[in-house]
Structures are given as structure tokens and as C-alpha cells.
Amino acid sequence: MVMKMATVRLTCQDKKDLEKFTKFLALKAAQIIVQSRLGEKVQSKCKPHLSGTDWFNLAIQDLPEVHAETKKALCGDLVNAHLPMCVEISLRTVEGDTMMLETWSLGVLPDQCDPSVRVTYTVYNRMCVLLKSLLSVTRVTPAYKLSRRQGPDSYVICYRIYMGEPQLHNLGEGYNQVRVGQLCTPVGTIQLSVSFRTKMTISPQHTGKDTSIMLKSDHFHPDLSPRHMRYQQSEENNTSLTETIKIGAFADNVKPLTQPGESDLVMPNIPFSSLLTPQHQSPRQHTPPQQAPSQPSSVVTNPETGSGEEAEDDGNGNATPRCASAADSRRSSCSMVSANEDFIMVDLKTPFAGNNANSDLGAFYRDCQSAPQLKTFSEQPTLAEQVEDITKTLEAFESNMREYDDMLNSLCLNENNN
Amino acid sequence: MNARSQTFELTVEGRQVDEAVASLFHTVLFHRSLGKFHYKQEGSYSVGTVGYTDVDCDFIDFTYVCCSSESLDRNLKKEISEFSEALRGNDGPGSGQISLEFFQKKKNRWPFQPECIPWEVWTVRLELIKLNNEHERQVCREKVGDMLTEKILYIAEVMNRHEYVPKMPNQSELDLIFDTSYPDVQPYLFKVSFTTSGPSNTSVGTTMKKLIKETLSL
């Protein structure tokens, strides 16, 4: 009843003003929240002599993309929708794991209203104060520090704007809820609050299909790390090379590699199958070699499915661009993410270390990955030297990961053609 | 009239004093500063825009927002560093408090100065601690950051209660409410004052000072 009387008493102009103010409050709040999560310090200048251009007397720069997203989410207006607008901030690692960090919600509670308050003056000024509080509070929730440390090789911060009750179940146990501020208007109380995660441990849950070959989150586990295994396996390099190389795989691609009739080379079905499936302790060790051809194909398509997801995401969510606003920059950061994702765990054997008959293959390898020519390949190295060289070679491999990816992909294509 | 009063208590290392106080006072001032007023004719004025800047602390894991006004920052920092020097100049761990007081002026009959009536006071009470090693320092960095987080949330809460602030004046009385000396922002009139004391010397002098101060601020 109170509300009805209030709305009746509200003049048409006041109602219009209020709706307009609320809409801009939502637009500016979204800008403040998203910009605070870009990972950069924000600075805007005072404009003492300009007037009428900036809403709420605050120099909030508008990112066009955020503006468009907010407008799309708002559709109508906040006052009549009676549904809060939410800005969800989440973190996405290079491995593709996501973790929701916080949800900001701006809503109107229709049952608490103050019909006496002046719209054009009091409400507007209180909105200014609310936005200032929002600016201050966005800097102190845990997601702020995380966002300042984001990067394409670790994680990126993403945002999503939607209308509706805040979805808080993804914030984990014991999340915190803080009210940023509220203000009374003739049609209800505008309230801005944030719920944020307090437990920051990420539980691996792969969002993509689990068919990509080297997608593992135990990269830094001491027993499973490639560095550790590298030393463990250094002695069996000679045999593992002869076991795994199928000469035919390269035959029509680059140049003839081996003389026919070289009978001491064993030819398994799959080229580099032991490279693709880590031999020890790996969760994938059960993977039968026959599946290997299908695995590389998922590597090729995985970046695409990744970007497909992203495009789908565009309906309701977006990766936060690190610089400025362009959608391109967002996309590029995402493609970097998916590119890194695929070959984190290439667990290399060292194929050229020994004194076997593989020197031609060795040369081919060096051609492919352009590692510096090492003298030890032509000489008889001691075990210690071998290990050291292996380390160097592996490091070179790791630094040339991309070239190596390309080579692997071309190998896989060849295999499929065959 | 009684002024609203808020008090924060913090335990910090000496070198964190400036930043801890600045982060709280700047946040308060950011809320209590408007754009510059430009009067067109009596009763009608336009308001400028307030810019803002993120500030990272060096000795605390903390970032806060303040008005983008160099002169405001300079003035506030000057007051705070006087307090900081006085506090840290004491031998051994000391304590002290610094207040940011908003007031309005009331014209008095000539030849008396206008009367200053405080309407809001923010006080930060600091206890100094000495830390022995880098590990403790690291822990303290985070701990003080967490404490400041609570205080910032509290400041936002208080600001959004929308309690008394002086009425918008007309042009002739603008200087009674706002500090118009800054070229870029227009904060409500404010002043900063502080007291310090050593570990256990609440001397008669300071007690008297305190008494007088409290009497005056009533």
C-alpha cells in the first residue's frame, strides 16, 4: 500500500528521472567493477570546469564493450524489473579451470521506500556516494589482488553480466557477503552488495573435453614433473628412441631419412607414441597406443573448441580484456590461453644421445627444432655429459615448444592420411 | 551539536604508519569531496567532475582509491608525516592518534573569528610494534592489509547511512562549508590533528591537552 501511494505521488518527471538515474547507476557500477579487475591501476583526472558530461560527478571512463554488455543485460530498466543486475567475476587458468571469485549485485527492494526523498537532488547525490563506495570496496576484496597478478601464462579474470538473483553456489564454502551501500528512493531501496569467495584453493575440473593429450594439472608435482622424469629416464634413451621411431612417418614430409634395409630399427605402429603418452605414473598411462591417432586430432581441434566456447560465452560472459576494450584483444588473450593449454606436458625422451645408428634421424630432429649443434652427438660422451646435454636439449625443446607442436601436428596429419 | 565520531585502532610497524593513515583518510576524503562548484547565477551552479586514482602501498599489501588531486594529497601527506615523525621519533614502541575532522564555520560578530563546528571526526589510533625479521614483516604486511580492508568496508557503510552533512550553501556561504582552495576538487572543510605519547608517559600536559580538546570539540 505504501508503495502504491508513493508511486502515485511521484510525478511523471520524477519517475522518468529516477529510472534514468538508476539505469546510469547500473551502467557506471558495471564499469567500475569490470575496470577494477583489468589488472591495471586506474587513474582518471578531475575536470573542475567541465560539467554536464560525466554522470554522478565522477570521472568514470566507459569501456564500450562493458557498456554494450551491461546494456544488453539490462534490457529494460532496473526499477521495474525488480531483479538485481549481477556482475560475476571469475578466474580462468591456462589449463582451462575456472573459479568464480565474486558476484556483485545491484537491485531495488520495492518494499522499503521513502516517498519524501527528492529524486533530482538527494537520490542523485546518494548515488554519487554509492559509486564512490563501490570504487573503494572493489579494491579491497580478494579478487582485486588476484586480478592485479593475472597474465596470459597463468590465469585471466573474466566477467559476466546478467539479470536475476545472484548465483552464489559457485563461490564455495564460507563465502562472504558485504553490503557496499544502499539508498532510499520513492520506489524502493537501491542496494549494492558483493558476495565473494574466501577459500581460494582451486579444484581441478576440466571444462573442455578430457581428450586433449597433455592437459594435466599435476605439472608441478615433484614425482611427475618432466624435469624429475627426465633424469630418471636418461639412461634408457637409446632404447626408447629405437623403440618409438617409425621412419615411414617422416618419409614423404621432409626428406628421405633412412636407408631401406636398416634392420636394427624397430617400428611400432605409432610414431612417437611414447612421447605422447608419458610412461610412468601418468594418469594417462593406461591409454592404449591405438588411441594415439585420435588424441592428436583433439589437439588440433582443441583450440577451436576453446574459441568456440568463448564465442558461445559472448552471449553472457566475457574474458576481461587486459588492455583497453577491444574485443580483439580479448580474443587474442584467449587464443594464447588455449595454445598454451595443449602442450604443457610434452614429456620428451632424448632421441640422439646414444651411439646408435640414428644420427640421420638426429640430424632431422635438429633441423626441425633448430637446437644448437652439440658436439657430444658426434663424440662418445660420458654418462654425466649425456645427462647434461639431454637437459640442455630438453630445455631447447621446451623453448621451441611451438615449432615442436607444429611438427607433431604435421606428423599426426600424416598418420591420419596413411 | 555533537559531531559523529568514528575511531579505528591499528597496530602497525613504524614504516607502515603513513600509508595506513593515508589509505583511511584518503578514502574518507574521497567520499567527502565534490566536484568544483561553478555558480552561474544565484541558486544555480554546475558541479565539476572528481577524478580518482588507485594507490598501491609499499609497506602494506593494500590498494586504495583517492581523489586525483595533487594538492589535496600533498596537504594530507604533510599532516600525516608530521604525525608519523612524532610517533616514530619516540624511543621504543609508542602510540598516538590522528584525527580527520570535518567542520563548518559559523560567522561571528566582528571582530571575532568565525566559529568552527565539527560535524564528523575520523580518528585513527595507532600502536607501534617492532618486528625482528622479514618473515614477521611479511605477515604484518598482510595482516595490516586485512585490517585496513575491514576499515574501508566500515567507511563505506558509514558513508551510505546518509547521515547529516551540511546543507548545500548558496554562493556567499560556500567557504563556510567547503574548502575552495583546491583547484580540482572541493572537499568539505576539514582539518587534521594528532597527539602522540610514549609507552607510558601520559603526562599531565597531554591529559590537559586532551581535556581541553575534548571540551572544545563538544
Side-chain angles (χ1 to χ4, degrees), chain A residues 327-340:
Chain A
D328 297 328
S329 71
R330 183 187 75 223
R331 211 141 272 151
S332 70
S333 80
C334 286
S335 70
M336 278 174 81
V337 168
S338 35
N340 280 344

PDB file of all heavy atoms in Angstrom, chain A residues 327-340:
ATOM      1  N   ALA A 327      37.379  -6.057 -28.478  1.00  0.00           N
ATOM      2  CA  ALA A 327      37.057  -7.472 -28.401  1.00  0.00           C
ATOM      3  C   ALA A 327      38.217  -8.300 -28.952  1.00  0.00           C
ATOM      4  O   ALA A 327      38.429  -9.427 -28.560  1.00  0.00           O
ATOM      5  CB  ALA A 327      35.799  -7.755 -29.209  1.00  0.00           C
ATOM      6  N   ASP A 328      38.963  -7.723 -29.861  1.00  0.00           N
ATOM      7  CA  ASP A 328      40.097  -8.440 -30.439  1.00  0.00           C
ATOM      8  C   ASP A 328      41.125  -8.800 -29.391  1.00  0.00           C
ATOM      9  O   ASP A 328      41.634  -9.904 -29.368  1.00  0.00           O
ATOM     10  CB  ASP A 328      40.778  -7.559 -31.505  1.00  0.00           C
ATOM     11  CG  ASP A 328      39.827  -7.282 -32.642  1.00  0.00           C
ATOM     12  OD1 ASP A 328      38.999  -8.162 -32.923  1.00  0.00           O
ATOM     13  OD2 ASP A 328      39.917  -6.196 -33.214  1.00  0.00           O
ATOM     14  N   SER A 329      41.404  -7.840 -28.548  1.00  0.00           N
ATOM     15  CA  SER A 329      42.424  -8.108 -27.540  1.00  0.00           C
ATOM     16  C   SER A 329      41.968  -9.214 -26.624  1.00  0.00           C
ATOM     17  O   SER A 329      42.739 -10.035 -26.178  1.00  0.00           O
ATOM     18  CB  SER A 329      42.719  -6.850 -26.738  1.00  0.00           C
ATOM     19  OG  SER A 329      41.624  -6.558 -25.912  1.00  0.00           O
ATOM     20  N   ARG A 330      40.684  -9.263 -26.394  1.00  0.00           N
ATOM     21  CA  ARG A 330      40.163 -10.315 -25.543  1.00  0.00           C
ATOM     22  C   ARG A 330      40.375 -11.651 -26.230  1.00  0.00           C
ATOM     23  O   ARG A 330      40.860 -12.604 -25.658  1.00  0.00           O
ATOM     24  CB  ARG A 330      38.678 -10.089 -25.309  1.00  0.00           C
ATOM     25  CG  ARG A 330      38.097 -11.107 -24.364  1.00  0.00           C
ATOM     26  CD  ARG A 330      36.600 -10.978 -24.260  1.00  0.00           C
ATOM     27  NE  ARG A 330      35.937 -11.491 -25.424  1.00  0.00           N
ATOM     28  CZ  ARG A 330      34.939 -10.897 -26.009  1.00  0.00           C
ATOM     29  NH1 ARG A 330      34.516  -9.750 -25.576  1.00  0.00           N
ATOM     30  NH2 ARG A 330      34.352 -11.418 -27.050  1.00  0.00           N
ATOM     31  N   ARG A 331      40.005 -11.669 -27.491  1.00  0.00           N
ATOM     32  CA  ARG A 331      40.095 -12.919 -28.207  1.00  0.00           C
ATOM     33  C   ARG A 331      41.535 -13.409 -28.272  1.00  0.00           C
ATOM     34  O   ARG A 331      41.823 -14.569 -28.101  1.00  0.00           O
ATOM     35  CB  ARG A 331      39.533 -12.719 -29.600  1.00  0.00           C
ATOM     36  CG  ARG A 331      38.918 -13.984 -30.097  1.00  0.00           C
ATOM     37  CD  ARG A 331      37.654 -13.730 -30.865  1.00  0.00           C
ATOM     38  NE  ARG A 331      36.495 -13.691 -30.040  1.00  0.00           N
ATOM     39  CZ  ARG A 331      35.428 -12.961 -30.344  1.00  0.00           C
ATOM     40  NH1 ARG A 331      35.437 -12.203 -31.393  1.00  0.00           N
ATOM     41  NH2 ARG A 331      34.395 -12.994 -29.570  1.00  0.00           N
ATOM     42  N   SER A 332      42.427 -12.477 -28.518  1.00  0.00           N
ATOM     43  CA  SER A 332      43.806 -12.904 -28.676  1.00  0.00           C
ATOM     44  C   SER A 332      44.330 -13.479 -27.362  1.00  0.00           C
ATOM     45  O   SER A 332      45.026 -14.479 -27.361  1.00  0.00           O
ATOM     46  CB  SER A 332      44.664 -11.727 -29.128  1.00  0.00           C
ATOM     47  OG  SER A 332      44.784 -10.814 -28.076  1.00  0.00           O
ATOM     48  N   SER A 333      43.935 -12.883 -26.260  1.00  0.00           N
ATOM     49  CA  SER A 333      44.428 -13.418 -24.997  1.00  0.00           C
ATOM     50  C   SER A 333      43.879 -14.817 -24.785  1.00  0.00           C
ATOM     51  O   SER A 333      44.539 -15.689 -24.266  1.00  0.00           O
ATOM     52  CB  SER A 333      44.052 -12.493 -23.839  1.00  0.00           C
ATOM     53  OG  SER A 333      42.728 -12.711 -23.463  1.00  0.00           O
ATOM     54  N   CYS A 334      42.680 -15.052 -25.250  1.00  0.00           N
ATOM     55  CA  CYS A 334      42.098 -16.370 -25.074  1.00  0.00           C
ATOM     56  C   CYS A 334      42.775 -17.391 -25.962  1.00  0.00           C
ATOM     57  O   CYS A 334      42.990 -18.524 -25.563  1.00  0.00           O
ATOM     58  CB  CYS A 334      40.615 -16.345 -25.388  1.00  0.00           C
ATOM     59  SG  CYS A 334      39.721 -15.530 -24.084  1.00  0.00           S
ATOM     60  N   SER A 335      43.107 -16.984 -27.182  1.00  0.00           N
ATOM     61  CA  SER A 335      43.737 -17.952 -28.062  1.00  0.00           C
ATOM     62  C   SER A 335      45.111 -18.321 -27.513  1.00  0.00           C
ATOM     63  O   SER A 335      45.554 -19.458 -27.646  1.00  0.00           O
ATOM     64  CB  SER A 335      43.850 -17.391 -29.475  1.00  0.00           C
ATOM     65  OG  SER A 335      44.803 -16.361 -29.488  1.00  0.00           O
ATOM     66  N   MET A 336      45.749 -17.374 -26.872  1.00  0.00           N
ATOM     67  CA  MET A 336      47.017 -17.710 -26.239  1.00  0.00           C
ATOM     68  C   MET A 336      46.810 -18.739 -25.150  1.00  0.00           C
ATOM     69  O   MET A 336      47.571 -19.666 -24.998  1.00  0.00           O
ATOM     70  CB  MET A 336      47.647 -16.459 -25.624  1.00  0.00           C
ATOM     71  CG  MET A 336      48.388 -15.617 -26.619  1.00  0.00           C
ATOM     72  SD  MET A 336      48.929 -14.131 -25.860  1.00  0.00           S
ATOM     73  CE  MET A 336      50.393 -14.729 -25.050  1.00  0.00           C
ATOM     74  N   VAL A 337      45.734 -18.561 -24.458  1.00  0.00           N
ATOM     75  CA  VAL A 337      45.445 -19.494 -23.378  1.00  0.00           C
ATOM     76  C   VAL A 337      45.295 -20.901 -23.927  1.00  0.00           C
ATOM     77  O   VAL A 337      45.913 -21.829 -23.470  1.00  0.00           O
ATOM     78  CB  VAL A 337      44.150 -19.070 -22.649  1.00  0.00           C
ATOM     79  CG1 VAL A 337      43.701 -20.180 -21.729  1.00  0.00           C
ATOM     80  CG2 VAL A 337      44.398 -17.801 -21.872  1.00  0.00           C
ATOM     81  N   SER A 338      44.488 -21.030 -24.989  1.00  0.00           N
ATOM     82  CA  SER A 338      44.247 -22.384 -25.455  1.00  0.00           C
ATOM     83  C   SER A 338      45.490 -22.957 -26.143  1.00  0.00           C
ATOM     84  O   SER A 338      45.686 -24.162 -26.143  1.00  0.00           O
ATOM     85  CB  SER A 338      43.040 -22.433 -26.372  1.00  0.00           C
ATOM     86  OG  SER A 338      42.964 -21.265 -27.125  1.00  0.00           O
ATOM     87  N   ALA A 339      46.312 -22.086 -26.721  1.00  0.00           N
ATOM     88  CA  ALA A 339      47.514 -22.603 -27.343  1.00  0.00           C
ATOM     89  C   ALA A 339      48.464 -23.168 -26.291  1.00  0.00           C
ATOM     90  O   ALA A 339      49.054 -24.227 -26.473  1.00  0.00           O
ATOM     91  CB  ALA A 339      48.216 -21.498 -28.130  1.00  0.00           C
ATOM     92  N   ASN A 340      48.570 -22.475 -25.206  1.00  0.00           N
ATOM     93  CA  ASN A 340      49.446 -22.957 -24.142  1.00  0.00           C
ATOM     94  C   ASN A 340      48.934 -24.234 -23.510  1.00  0.00           C
ATOM     95  O   ASN A 340      49.677 -25.051 -23.025  1.00  0.00           O
ATOM     96  CB  ASN A 340      49.544 -21.898 -23.041  1.00  0.00           C
ATOM     97  CG  ASN A 340      50.514 -20.820 -23.425  1.00  0.00           C
ATOM     98  OD1 ASN A 340      51.297 -21.034 -24.340  1.00  0.00           O
ATOM     99  ND2 ASN A 340      50.451 -19.695 -22.757  1.00  0.00           N
TER     100      ASN A 340
END
